[in-house]
Amino acid sequence: KAELGEAWNGLTFMEAGSGPDNGLVRATPDLAGDIVLGRKDVGVAYHLAVVVDDALQGVTDVVRGLDLFEATHIQRLLQALLALPTPVYLHHHLLTGPDGKRLAKRDKAQTLRELRAAGVTAEALRRKLGL
């Protein structure tokens, strides 16, 4: 913390969704430990890429799954260190299958289009996501 000086003090972000905290959240990036900002095999790592991309694209609201809530703390620190704007965050519940596992492309899970074709309404999906 000492090496970060004033960038560490008073870091907050606005959570407008279903995060474990709601409203103004005090960022605690130290809970994640050391993070990777770059790798030889993939170049820039996720945390650095998303904060820079969001800033370059003028993103003001970030909507993502609740599984990425903790990553927001790290991203908030990077935004402060790089003097980038801080968007409002809205984390939502994850859609899960009957087995309780999250629906993910990498697992070839049922798609949104398939859910809708099976008769799941937009309202039902919004409720399940907590929106």
Side-chain angles (χ1 to χ4, degrees):
K1 288 183 185 180
E3 304 97 40
L4 299 175
E6 290 303 307
W8 185 269
N9 295 325
L11 282 181
T12 60
F13 62 91
M14 182 60 66
E15 171 59 42
S18 300
D21 299 311
N22 209 305
L24 194 61
V25 177
R26 182 178 171 272
T28 52
D30 56 327
L31 297 179
D34 294 336
I35 60 165
V36 175
L37 296 180
R39 291 178 20 194
K40 189 185 323 182
D41 59 335
V42 294
V44 177
Y46 171 75
H47 295 296
L48 184 57
V50 297
V51 298
V52 172
D53 284 350
D54 287 349
L56 289 175
Q57 294 175 42
V59 171
T60 59
D61 296 82
V62 173
V63 179
R64 59 170 64 131
L66 197 50
D67 58 329
L68 293 173
F69 179 80
E70 297 304 324
T72 307
H73 295 262
I74 296 163
Q75 292 160 14
R76 180 62 191 102
L77 175 60
L78 291 172
Q79 290 159 350
L81 292 171
L82 297 170
L84 298 174
T86 305
V88 171
Y89 291 88
L90 188 151
H91 292 87
H92 59 77
H93 298 287
L94 300 176
L95 293 178
T96 56
D99 58 1
K101 288 179 59 178
R102 73 183 181 120
L103 300 181
K105 288 185 288 188
R106 68 175 149 224
D107 298 330
K108 299 189 181 356
Q110 194 174 22
T111 65
L112 183 56
R113 179 175 284 137
E114 292 166 343
L115 288 169
R116 295 287 303 203
V120 178
T121 67
E123 180 58 36
L125 286 171
R126 281 194 294 274
R127 265 195 317 278
K128 190 162 183 141
L129 290 170
L131 302 175

